[in-house]
Amino acid sequence: MKRKELNVELYKKVYLIRKTEEKIREHYMEDEMKTPVHLSIGEEAIAAGVCMALNVEDQIFGTYRNHGIYLAKTGETDRFFAELYGKQTGVAKGKAGSMHISASELNFLGASAVVATIIPVAMGTSFVNKWKNNGKLVAVFFGDGALDEGAFWESLNFACLKELPIIFVCEDNGLAIHSPTSDRQGYRSISDIVSKFECNVFREETTDPEVIYRITCNAIQLQKNNHKPCFLHFKYYRYLEHVGINQDFKFGYRSEDEFKRWYKMDPVTLQRKKLLENAHSEKELQEIESEIDKQIDNSVKSAQKAPFPDESELFKDVYA
Amino acid sequence: MRRISYREALNEAMMQEMERDPNVFVYGLDVSDHKRIFGSTVGLVEKFGAERCFGTPLSEDAMTGFGLGAAINGLRPIHIHIRVDFMILAMNQIVNMVSSCRYTSAGKLKVPLVIRAVIGRGWGQGFQHSKSMHSVFAHIPGLKVVLPTTPRDVKGLLISAIRDDNPVIFMEHRWLYDTIGEVPEDPEAIPLGESNILRSGNDITVVATSWLNVEALKAAEVMQKHGISVEVVDPRTISPLNDKLILESVKKTGHCIVADDDWLNCGFSAEVAARVSEFCFKDLKSPVSRIGFAATPCPTTRPLENKFYPNAIDIIKSIESKLELQPLDLSNEEFYSYENKFRGPF
């Protein structure tokens, strides 16, 4: 893909994520989306950049903070919003909600709210890909909080031991809920530690989806050559509270100045500016944006109108 | 019919299923070491290679999620724990992920995962190599929990568990490994979710799980000499529980003892007692009685260990009390001792 096209595609992804999350903020107080939301605002570059570098058939996994990767991977918003509204037309008929949203038919295979818990499942999936020699990659997304749980280390160890085709993507916002890494981690650098494993390690602090995309492409290439798993460590800033739609600087556990520093490099603004500098007109961008706005509006409207699942759905699919 | 041991039956089930279906694989700590999980995985790595039979790090939690990942992508993993006590490390994966995966994908994913675990009494094993815990797993919707007693059942139920598209917790009592019984050579699948009458009788029903069926059968044999006919019902699959045979038996006898190889409080025995009370209330001639582990951690020293685990004598005493019999003279009876290993019959 040419650089110009690539940047348009990346912009579509970050814009879709940002606008979807803002749409949720707009409607959330109506109390019709009865599901706790952990919004991806601030994280868009990572979701967009990594997913852009993956093939369609590559599989992803995530945590409760999963809207960004869901949208970057699938591009679809109809069943997404229906799931948040708890409707029959939702991607899991409302049984998953925001925290566990996934779409196996679009190769987003699962999301867990117990943060590192999804990582072993991703690792098992990559084992199957290696077993079948089908060339598929797995990318598993998690925050720095997941590093505190044993399942991460157990999975990293086994993936390195067995040379599994998996990319661990650590989206590091420096906070597990409200606890900063300085209160939780007895080591200086996660990248240093992981680099002692038989693993390809990349680390970057950027809000540029193109940079994330290039790093991921390099990681994938390296993985194909040396068969070692990859660990991508990306810093980002969570704009909003841990769960919910509001800012939470007033509680004093982090400073608004930090937010302001990061906001100067806002991924969506940055990518838009880049497109304008790369010979795209304001009009072109507005067309792209209005197309996405329309998609989101339509999805919300049809989700609102859709029926709830019948009560009998409660007992379905406990067993196969 | 040919007679083989429980461990050989287990082994044969895996061998035949791995031959039949190339997607079946076996993994877990020590599955391919020289001891082979009390002999139950003998020959698998030689026959199917290290790709389909491999040992793992001591990462019980991640290796369970690994099995889930493999299962939702078309393989049929068998994860083995040499003791259920180690499986507790995997509770997060089992309860938060494995059990709910199908449901929260609205039926899009299936989870054909078998988790084998050795349970129950050994030989001075103390409090971390001795538990059963099946009641805990039976509490969780989405899991199937199977406790085979006989060699024939262990083969037939393991075959069904492997072919099942749901996660199955498959629990094998350590002492049962030495039991011998008739087992067909062909891969005979015994359906999950069906109880089995191990011995027919008219005077009292004993619903027993796992090893306690052996003890219940011994108790029944003793009672027979004194003219009391005991029916022994083995539920085999405790979740989802098909209670039909249990309820029919209690309606016939009017008396029910539940001998569960687990703690009693909030346990499987309580579930059976509740169902019997609910559905056989008018037929009951005495309240349901329960026999299980002492409400303590498992002690190591033999006299206390003997007291901790229930046995045939406890069942006999319970029968005597329920039927208001004079205490029997048991001095000439030979009861099971692990020192002698099991000699059958089944």
Side-chain angles (χ1 to χ4, degrees), chain A residues 59 61 79 91-93 95-96 100 102-105 109 111-112 114 116-118 120-125 127-129 131-132 150-151 154-155 157-158 161-162 164 313-320, chain B residues 22-25 51-52 54-63 65-66 68-70 72-75 92-93 96-97 99 102-110 140-144 165-166 239-240:
Chain A
Q59 297 137 318
F61 291 84
R79 286 175 297 153
V91 71
K93 300 178 185 174
K95 286 174 170 173
H100 305 289
S102 65
S104 55
E105 64 279 17
L109 291 193
S112 171
V114 183
T117 297
I118 201 68
V121 187
M123 191 256 290
T125 299
F127 172 83
V128 177
N129 293 336
W131 168 301
K132 292 183 177 166
E154 292 184 1
S155 303
N157 177 58
F158 194 74
L161 178 74
K162 297 285 180 183
L164 298 181
E313 188 60 49
L314 174 66
F315 297 101
K316 287 185 188 156
D317 296 319
V318 179
Y319 293 96
Chain B
N23 292 318
V24 178
F25 72 98
E51 264 204 352
R52 293 180 63 198
F54 53 89
T56 65
L58 287 82
S59 303
E60 290 82 357
D61 187 38
M63 294 319 301
F66 163 88
L68 173 59
I72 60 174
N73 287 286
L75 300 188
N92 180 39
Q93 286 295 333
N96 275 328
M97 297 296 292
S99 64
R102 179 170 182 81
Y103 191 75
T104 55
S105 71
K108 283 187 265 187
L109 300 174
K110 59 181 185 183
I140 314 298
L143 301 178
K144 293 188 177 181
D165 281 336
N166 298 286
S239 186

Side-chain angles (χ1 to χ4, degrees), chain A residues 71-289:
Chain A
L71 297 163
K73 177 70 175 164
T74 72
E76 87 83 32
T77 46
D78 283 351
R79 286 175 297 153
F80 172 88
F81 272 108
E83 188 65 25
L84 265 52
Y85 277 95
K87 299 299 178 72
Q88 175 69 26
T89 49
V91 71
K93 300 178 185 174
K95 286 174 170 173
S98 164
M99 288 200 283
H100 305 289
I101 202 163
S102 65
S104 55
E105 64 279 17
L106 299 172
N107 296 316
F108 182 2
L109 291 193
S112 171
V114 183
V115 286
T117 297
I118 201 68
I119 302 174
V121 187
M123 191 256 290
T125 299
S126 72
F127 172 83
V128 177
N129 293 336
K130 186 173 177 176
W131 168 301
K132 292 183 177 166
N133 195 20
N134 60 18
K136 289 187 201 175
L137 271 178
V138 168
V140 56
F141 297 77
F142 48 88
D144 52 301
L147 304 175
D148 301 351
E149 293 183 346
F152 163 71
W153 298 98
E154 292 184 1
S155 303
L156 176 69
N157 177 58
F158 194 74
C160 293
L161 178 74
K162 297 285 180 183
E163 297 192 323
L164 298 181
I166 183 168
I167 306 176
F168 297 93
V169 186
C170 179
E171 304 173 284
D172 183 352
N173 59 27
L175 291 169
I177 310 184
H178 308 121
S179 299
T181 46
S182 57
D183 285 359
R184 303 177 353 250
Q185 296 179 348
Y187 49 85
R188 276 188 296 278
S189 160
I190 183 68
S191 318
D192 285 354
I193 295 174
V194 178
S195 66
K196 301 289 191 287
F197 284 75
E198 297 294 339
C199 186
N200 304 312
V201 178
F202 296 80
R203 183 179 192 284
E204 190 56 75
E205 186 168 322
T206 179
T207 52
D208 184 342
E210 190 185 358
V211 174
I212 305 262
Y213 166 80
R214 303 255 177 239
I215 291 171
T216 310
C217 289
N218 291 343
I220 292 170
Q221 198 51 52
L222 194 54
Q223 192 282 328
K224 298 232 183 272
N225 294 339
N226 68 12
H227 308 296
K228 292 180 185 179
C230 297
F231 180 80
L232 312 183
H233 182 219
F234 296 127
K235 296 282 286 179
Y236 82 98
Y237 192 77
R238 187 183 83 203
Y239 287 12
L240 302 176
E241 58 192 335
H242 161 67
V243 55
I245 59 164
N246 300 305
Q247 290 192 329
D248 64 352
F249 303 112
K250 65 181 176 188
F251 298 108
Y253 72 94
R254 57 178 182 165
S255 86
E256 194 166 357
D257 290 345
E258 204 184 353
F259 164 66
K260 284 176 183 159
R261 268 201 312 280
W262 279 89
Y263 192 65
K264 283 186 195 145
M265 310 174 288
D266 179 70
V268 183
T269 315
L270 193 84
Q271 189 64 8
R272 192 176 203 280
K273 216 170 116 205
K274 197 193 294 172
L275 292 185
L276 288 174
E277 285 163 5
N278 280 307
H280 291 278
S281 67
E282 179 64 34
K283 184 163 170 283
E284 257 178 281
L285 295 190
Q286 281 173 5
E287 275 168 20
I288 289 171
E289 289 161 357

Side-chain angles (χ1 to χ4, degrees), chain B residues 21-191:
Chain B
D21 183 348
N23 292 318
V24 178
F25 72 98
V26 171
Y27 73 104
L29 184 64
D30 288 348
V31 297
S32 52
D33 72 0
H34 58 286
K35 290 198 170 177
R36 307 289 168 102
I37 312 288
F38 306 123
S40 69
T41 58
V42 164
L44 299 182
V45 69
E46 287 77 7
K47 181 148 192 186
F48 302 103
E51 264 204 352
R52 293 180 63 198
C53 178
F54 53 89
T56 65
L58 287 82
S59 303
E60 290 82 357
D61 187 38
M63 294 319 301
T64 304
F66 163 88
L68 173 59
I72 60 174
N73 287 286
L75 300 188
R76 292 185 172 270
I78 305 172
H79 190 197
I80 307 181
H81 298 276
I82 198 160
R83 273 285 168 191
V84 74
D85 312 66
F86 307 128
M87 192 171 150
I88 307 308
L89 282 159
M91 284 308 267
N92 180 39
Q93 286 295 333
I94 294 170
V95 180
N96 275 328
M97 297 296 292
V98 169
S99 64
S100 350
C101 185
R102 179 170 182 81
Y103 191 75
T104 55
S105 71
K108 283 187 265 187
L109 300 174
K110 59 181 185 183
V111 185
L113 168 66
V114 176
I115 306 179
R116 282 184 47 200
V118 178
I119 62 167
R121 187 171 184 179
W123 186 86
Q125 302 281 26
F127 60 95
Q128 291 180 352
H129 282 58
S130 57
K131 289 189 272 293
S132 290
M133 307 293 297
H134 50 263
S135 301
V136 172
F137 298 105
H139 188 64
I140 314 298
L143 301 178
K144 293 188 177 181
V145 183
V146 182
L147 291 103
T149 303
T150 70
R152 184 175 193 154
D153 280 352
V154 85
K155 179 176 175 188
L157 291 169
L158 185 54
I159 288 170
S160 291
I162 294 167
R163 295 178 188 177
D164 201 282
D165 281 336
N166 298 286
V168 180
I169 312 288
F170 197 85
M171 312 187 94
E172 308 145 13
H173 195 287
R174 175 66 187 92
W175 281 5
L176 289 171
Y177 273 56
D178 297 310
T179 60
I180 310 280
E182 292 187 341
V183 181
E185 284 174 47
D186 291 339
E188 169 202 51
I190 297 175

Side-chain angles (χ1 to χ4, degrees), chain A residues 18-65:
Chain A
R18 177 65 56 89
K19 287 293 157 174
T20 301
E21 299 293 58
E22 283 179 356
K23 189 58 79 177
I24 292 169
R25 295 183 77 192
E26 187 186 319
H27 287 282
Y28 203 62
M29 295 314 282
E30 294 160 9
D31 201 20
E32 284 177 11
M33 282 181 256
K34 292 183 184 293
T35 175
V37 289
H38 304 72
L39 300 183
S40 301
I41 296 181
E43 173 219 352
E44 295 91 342
I46 305 171
V50 174
C51 288
M52 192 76 212
L54 298 174
N55 288 321
V56 176
E57 59 273 19
D58 292 338
Q59 297 137 318
I60 66 163
F61 291 84
T63 64
Y64 49 67
R65 200 173 306 285

Side-chain angles (χ1 to χ4, degrees), chain B residues 8 24 61 85 123 143 145 153 173 186 197 202 204 233 236 258 260 265 304 317 325 327 330 340:
Chain B
E8 289 165 325
V24 178
D61 187 38
D85 312 66
W123 186 86
L143 301 178
V145 183
D153 280 352
H173 195 287
D186 291 339
I197 307 279
N202 296 312
I204 188 161
V233 186
R236 298 195 290 195
V258 192
D260 188 23
N265 189 43
L304 297 186
K317 286 185 175 154
L325 307 173
L330 302 174
N340 303 329

